[in-house]
Amino acid sequence: MTVFDAYIPKIAEYVENMRATGRQISVFSAPSSPQELKDGLPIKVGPGSNSGIILREDTYMELGNPEAGSCAIMLFTDRPQLIKDGAITIIGPDIKDSGGKSLPFGQVVIIGGTGLDDNEHEALKHTGFIGDQIQGYMVRSYTQSIWSRVSKDAAEKGFSLETLGRALMALYKSGDSKIHAMETIFVTSGKDDIKLLDEIAMQVQKITKELVMQTWKIRGYDIDCASDCSSCSDKPVCDDIREVLKEKKMDYDK
Amino acid sequence: MINVYSQLQMLAGKALGGLCLDPQNASPGPFVLGNGDFFIEIPVAYGCSYSDITLTGANGTAMPDASELIDKAIETGVESRMCTAIKVACYYLEAGLVRKPDLIITSNSCCDAMDTLGNLLNGYKPWADVPKFIMDAPHSFDEESYKYMGKQLRQAVTFMEDVFGRKMDWDRLREVCVLSNKQDQLLLEFQELKKAVPCPANPDLSRLGFAYDRWTGERVSPQITDWLEQLVCATEERVKAKLGIEGVNEKVRFLWQDLAGSWPPGTLWARLQQELGAIAIMDYMSYCTLTPIDLTSEETMFTSFGKRFLLEDPMNRQALHTTDFFCNDILQIVKDFKCDAVIMPAHIGHRDTNSRLKIVRDMCREKDIPCLVLGIDIWDKRYMPPDVVFDRISTFFQTTGLV
Ligand code: SF4
């Protein structure tokens, strides 16, 4: 069991709430192996698939411009049975329905693998830096959430959120052999829906922070300074420095 | 023939050049002085001059008499390992060379040196009668921290209103923020273009654009938008034509994980480009991560300001937060901008960063990223002369097989 297990049902609940409020929802089922995932896609997937840049004039639409709303969540578990492998859920309009307009964007990636443990967080996060690996799709260098562009060319070829889901699954699965199952959820239905998702994201962030601390602890660095002055062995040194500063200040004030 | 980049450089250079003791954001209104980059949209909308005395010190190190100035600063008895930009700022202050402000706004960010300078400003006897507002910057980056910082910035506005007896024009602030958002989008756009191989334009234009936008009398004005638009358009053309920086045969792309400082860009980086085809793709200041200001309500606006202050101001971003965050930025930049190597200048004043050097080195080794640690003073080239730094970098590139 990993620390994120409790959040997988929360995401499912979020999707159900969206369904109950009448949001347009489409669900696709993708194959499992990286090669099958890539087969039949209208665009190339893998290192060097694009130059890393989509110019303004070549842009069909943007996803997750912070003004429109943006949120990204990555969860992982060592119990792949909690995940519907290959499921791609889209809440809201797809790329072709956007008419080229920027859409709010929420991306949830849920990863499962029996060998995954809490320490895997960093490696999985770095696998998620997709850079130049999806043709016609550029993730902007913006560190808070996902802000991306789809090129006119890719849109014309039929690039959709299902394509994106499959491409992400292929990249994650080929980047980390411990991944056995993966599910993605995309939300484009509105800023308010993104905000609701963001509430879950904030809780996840808190857990992630703890994981990061743990990872550093294993490396020998305690980044959580739990001590205070009264318990610190260097307190006498600090006290001396403070005394000297006080005297210096008194001299200055004279 | 003068190309568009030279023209842009000249324009920005004119506004920035010689800027030192005079207020950076000069305007006819009252004069506010701070020890850091106060949120520029606020003074612009309020109609007052604003200066960051840290920047005043940093600019001093670029003056022709910089060495003399730095030596005088050392004589004032400032701690010897203190950042040179701060030493010079302290000297300017103690020598009575800084114009007396009408209001002082300081914060404890982002480094120990700036905090010290803030304390000096607040305790400076000849200015005892100047009203002062002190902010507390938390070392964290979450919604609560942004709100906490945003509230203090909002209180700073109320304080300004009380001191100057004039209200903030909220419509004007909104207008300024709209313009500022547009400019930030353009800065981000230029940043994306630097991902192209070869790099289409001198990457340092990002830093110049940022400085021109924030630190001159033309701050957040339509002229700046125009400048940035021209920069992006010209560079897009070069990306389409797959052109690199004019006259440079690009061989190595590296991340300069520090501030550029006053001497490295003009001397060291220029020489590295020309002689080795090595390009400093990114540095602290040109790494633009600005989130548009959320104009939904006054509260969201100030929370956005708080976020920018804590997380997106280049120096706060790298100095105020965890080593994990710092390392992640390095990895993301290297991947996104296809950097072949990381150079850690390890500026002598950056004690926070310097305490992370081993961690960064280990991380780079693990990820197979060549990494060089220098140990220079980015404000005083006498500490490790440019020729020596050049030789060290050149040897590093040769031994790692990059050139
Ligand atoms: S250069 Fe670094 S140490 Fe010097 S004032 Fe700026 S942030 Fe502080």
Side-chain angles (χ1 to χ4, degrees), chain B residues 45-223:
Chain B
Y46 193 77
C48 62
S49 292
Y50 179 76
S51 249
D52 164 5
I53 192 170
T54 304
L55 189 60
T56 303
N59 285 343
T61 70
M63 293 291 140
D65 60 345
S67 305
E68 203 182 309
L69 202 60
I70 295 167
D71 291 343
K72 276 190 200 156
I74 295 168
E75 281 163 25
T76 61
V78 194
E79 194 241 319
S80 66
R81 287 186 319 141
M82 169 91 68
C83 173
T84 304
I86 300 294
K87 277 185 201 152
V88 171
C90 291
Y91 165 72
Y92 279 148
L93 186 69
E94 296 276 357
L97 295 170
V98 182
R99 186 180 130 189
K100 185 176 178 182
D102 302 302
L103 170 64
I104 292 174
I105 300 181
T106 56
S107 86
N108 57 341
S109 70
C110 51
C111 61
D112 56 329
M114 281 168 78
D115 192 18
T116 305
L117 182 60
N119 290 335
L120 195 67
L121 270 183
N122 289 322
Y124 185 53
K125 263 193 175 169
W127 293 353
D129 58 338
V130 177
K132 296 171 183 84
F133 189 86
I134 304 170
M135 296 185 293
D136 166 49
H139 286 231
S140 47
F141 50 97
D142 48 30
E143 206 54 28
E144 284 148 37
S145 315
Y146 306 148
K147 282 193 180 145
Y148 175 71
M149 198 66 221
K151 273 189 190 147
Q152 293 179 76
L153 287 159
R154 177 66 187 84
Q155 284 161 357
V157 173
T158 309
F159 192 74
M160 276 168 74
E161 291 176 331
D162 288 349
V163 170
F164 300 134
R166 177 162 58 85
K167 290 281 171 206
M168 167 67 91
D169 177 344
W170 294 99
D171 290 336
R172 172 77 183 128
L173 179 59
R174 205 166 266 279
E175 242 172 56
V176 173
C177 289
V178 170
L179 195 58
S180 172
N181 278 349
K182 197 167 171 192
Q183 292 170 352
D184 295 341
Q185 294 262 357
L186 289 165
L187 276 170
L188 275 168
E189 198 66 47
F190 180 68
Q191 171 161 291
E192 291 299 324
L193 299 173
K194 297 201 295 189
K195 287 178 179 169
V197 180
C199 185
N202 191 342
D204 199 30
L205 284 157
S206 291
R207 195 174 57 90
L208 191 65
F210 185 87
Y212 185 30
D213 183 12
R214 298 277 187 295
W215 300 336
T216 68
E218 282 158 48
R219 59 198 186 159
V220 202
S221 67
Q223 290 99 286

Side-chain angles (χ1 to χ4, degrees), chain A residues 77-91:
Chain A
T77 174
D78 56 359
R79 295 195 293 165
Q81 65 273 22
L82 295 179
I83 296 175
K84 287 183 217 129
D85 184 31
I88 301 167
T89 306
I90 300 162
I91 304 171

